[in-house]
Amino acid sequence: MPDRPTAAVRPGQEHHVAPLEETPLAAVDAVDEQAPPTSLWADAWRRLRRRPLFLVSSLIILLLLVVSLFPSLFTSVDPRFADLTRSLQGPAEGHPLGFTQQGTDVYSRLVHGARASVSVGVIATALVVVIGGVVGALAGFFGGWLDAVLSRFADIFFAVPLLLGGIILMQMLDTRNSFTVALTLAVFGWPQVARIMRGSVLQVRSNEYVTAATSLGLGKLKVLLRHVVPNALGPVIVVATISLGTFIAAEATLSFLNIGLPPSTVSWGGDISRAQTTLRTDPWVLLWPSIGLSVTVLSFLMLGDALRDALDPKGRTR
Amino acid sequence: MPASDADQPLLQVRGLHVDFTSGGRAVHAVRGADLTVYPGQTVAIVGESGSGKSTTAQAVIGLLPGNGRVVGGQVLFDGRDIAHASRREFVELRGKHIGLVPQDPMSNLNPVWTIGFQVREALAANGLAKGRAAKQRAAQLLAEAGLPDADRRAKQYPHEFSGGMRQRALIAIGLASRPRLLIADEPTSALDVTVQRQILDHLDGLTRELGTAVLLITHDLGLAAERAEHLVVMYKGQVVESGPALQILQDPQHPYTQRLVRAAPSLASQRLRSSSQREQVAAAAAEHAGLAHAAAVAGSDVGVEQTANVIEVEDLTKVFTIRGSGPRGEKLRAVDGVSFAVRRGTTTAVVGESGSGKSTVAQMVLNLLPATSGTVRFDGVDITTLDARRRFDFRRRVQPIFQNPYGSLDPSFSIYRTIEEPLRVHGIGDAKSREARVRDLLDKVALPAGTIRRYPNELSGGQRQRVAIARALALNPEVVVCDEAVSALDVLVQGQILTLLNDLQAELGLTYLFITHDLAVVRQIADDVVVMQKGRLVEAATTDEVFRSPRQEYTRALLEAIPGGNIELGV
């Protein structure tokens, strides 16, 4: 011990012992057996369901899904039936939002247009998650030359802007439907998911439970599938939700440019494009599909934000 | 501010209450804390994580996080109540009158500015010096904090400094404007023991010379007792005992303090078992390995010595290529010609500071990392030559326990799945017998059966470590490699886990290879010690020999650096 002067005890520093009644001892490290068990996903769900951002966006998305699956529940008017005598007429009975220049019902086209947007968004996102997820997981987990090859390959596609790539590729395609549009968007969209997955896998891979699984005798691929991928999915889910919104916007852009879905398919992008000509005189024809598109894209972005808050491992420690 | 004489308290905390609001609920982090610091005195607040020791210090210096608030009591600094001081008042106080040495030297220096700049910043902020004068003063302060060649060092960036040097720089910043009170929040817990000792010695000398009072926050009772004259023991937000350091250590009154003194590894001096247990372990180990002849002679201590070595490491070397690849890459000999043997049924500790290569040795013994040269023999067989099937069998017999309780369990697996996984991977039993085995294992590690459906995020660090132990034991391994298995735990929990490991060893005849930086833990658990320094083995002997008569200079330095090692205890 250093030679500190052992001065007499000074006021305020006398030996003080708190009475035991006021400071009860807890058992060291006892388990709370009363609390209900919660998995990570249950925990995230509990966090989510109280967030207004999540509630609002998921309600809109739910409504959107119902509309695109069963449009006939909301309107019985044929969106393709054109009555030129009613061109650009205002709201009438059974036609609450009026008519387009072609004399088709705006409300019916709004309802039926949801399916095109949603299906393109969902298919493109599914493709992107599968391709990007597999490539990213392999690159991140195995590293080395495989990582180098896969990452550079992804960079080639990453370098092409989504829309520019979409325009070029769509012009070369003969068949244009929801699936080909989704495929085109996926071809240029997967590198983003691959990057996120790779980073997430790299982070999870360094955890000790991965080493523990290896020293149990588990093969590399099994370690990847059982322990790494489930824990690396969080950020991918967030990005996938947000990119679903951007894919819907991209589809509308392509359709607007008349190289997305064919005019025979009812879609918001196509309707916006055709309503341009009458924008000055009859803006509502353009307004309704635009609102549909904005609300849809916005709600996916909001859902992505809410999911990020719930799934972010940093947020969980709070 | 008036000049105070030595008999007036410099800092008085009276009935301090601090609340944190999180998720709409108020958490009482500090409940009625009292403490007094006189000028020039060193007072230590001792407690585990969550005891409110850091929160108390943060309240004193006005650095409570955004959701924390002083809701009651007084903080008198030089007679003035600063518990509710405004932001401006605190800016005036901080640095000039109350200095701070933060905990983590790695993240508390800004990586984009030179060390000298950051010291000058502290000087400028308190209006002490500017320009050329500041430059000179900064170098002076750094030299005073024990940095050699301070003029040149001041021009360097944090990444060019070791942890110890960074902490010295932080001390220089904390003392830059000669505060009268220095708050040191776990100033050395991120550093190696020998460095820790140097830094604390230096801080001691410096503050005594300058007459600075020190409020030391630490989890280490031994360290607190060695450095402070007055101790304040906190537990769950309350002060349970306070008084003169020696008196508290030798005659603890509150049951919590007694518990803490008993568990403090730096103060304990006993291997955690009796000699009768030792014989049982040897017998069980021999039985476990099916060595009939060893069992016959296990009744005597000689028998223990004759039991075969379960692990033999010979001339083990690992060379990593850092920076660049191929023959031009820079080479690092992480492990350099290490040889030792582990006797069956005993615990061998590999001790060393960070960078000594001890964890690399563990990885190679676990067959997770190929050796550059040398051999590891498990039960007489070189493990580097195993084919896939025999390696799978080897995995069953050697299992690891890791350091970080938060990273060693898969968060998406329930406790049941975590412990059951090794059984499933090795195709042992059916669903029903596996469940029975999991329950049995949970019981062995003293976790209630209710834990079985829970997830790791619901458990505390110590409980997670118990689950990790249960998983490691699921396959009935012969050897368990513990890589810093208790280093991240609070002292009481650490004591519990060490006792558990020790009991399990006696019950199951396990052999432990215990990797640790903490010689105090070694004394409690190990039979043999291997001391490593910079990749080389410096000393290998029995624990008693090493502690009684260390033969190497380095081992002696390590032993002397154990804080509070030479304080006589009353319990």
Side-chain angles (χ1 to χ4, degrees), chain A residues 132-133 136-137 192-202 229 232-233 236:
Chain A
Q192 195 198 4
V193 174
R195 277 191 171 190
I196 301 284
M197 188 68 176
R198 177 175 172 274
S200 183
V201 163
L202 273 178
V229 169
L233 271 183
V236 173

Side-chain angles (χ1 to χ4, degrees), chain B residues 451-468:
Chain B
T451 323
I452 200 163
R453 298 280 163 229
R454 294 181 182 282
Y455 286 82
N457 59 325
E458 300 169 71
L459 303 182
S460 73
Q463 291 160 359
R464 289 171 202 228
Q465 213 58 330
R466 284 170 193 270
V467 173

Side-chain angles (χ1 to χ4, degrees), chain B residues 224-255:
Chain B
E226 193 178 81
R227 302 289 168 181
E229 51 251 58
H230 182 74
L231 290 193
V232 177
V233 182
M234 288 190 74
Y235 173 63
K236 290 191 188 286
Q238 289 173 308
V239 173
V240 291
E241 190 161 351
S242 63
L246 271 180
Q247 197 176 343
I248 290 216
L249 224 56
Q250 288 168 349
D251 186 22
Q253 296 295 315
H254 195 278

Side-chain angles (χ1 to χ4, degrees), chain B residues 302-319:
Chain B
V302 192
V304 179
E305 303 302 323
Q306 284 175 351
T307 311
N309 291 331
V310 63
I311 291 175
E312 282 168 339
V313 173
E314 214 176 283
D315 205 20
L316 196 62
T317 301
K318 179 72 196 179
V319 180

Side-chain angles (χ1 to χ4, degrees), chain A residues 164-248:
Chain A
L164 182 63
I167 291 170
I168 294 166
L169 204 63
M170 281 312 292
Q171 273 176 339
M172 299 183 341
L173 286 176
D174 293 333
T175 40
R176 291 207 225 142
N177 54 34
S178 296
F179 188 75
T180 53
V181 173
L183 195 70
T184 306
L185 293 176
V187 164
F188 298 99
W190 67 268
Q192 195 198 4
V193 174
R195 277 191 171 190
I196 301 284
M197 188 68 176
R198 177 175 172 274
S200 183
V201 163
L202 273 178
Q203 202 179 7
V204 172
R205 190 184 66 164
S206 63
N207 271 315
E208 282 169 346
Y209 57 79
V210 176
T211 320
T214 311
S215 43
L216 281 180
L218 219 58
K220 277 202 156 183
L221 216 56
K222 278 189 181 164
V223 171
L224 174 62
L225 287 178
R226 255 188 234 172
H227 292 282
V228 178
V229 169
N231 289 301
L233 271 183
V236 173
I237 292 174
V238 173
V239 171
T241 315
I242 291 174
S243 50
L244 213 162
T246 54
F247 285 142
I248 289 177

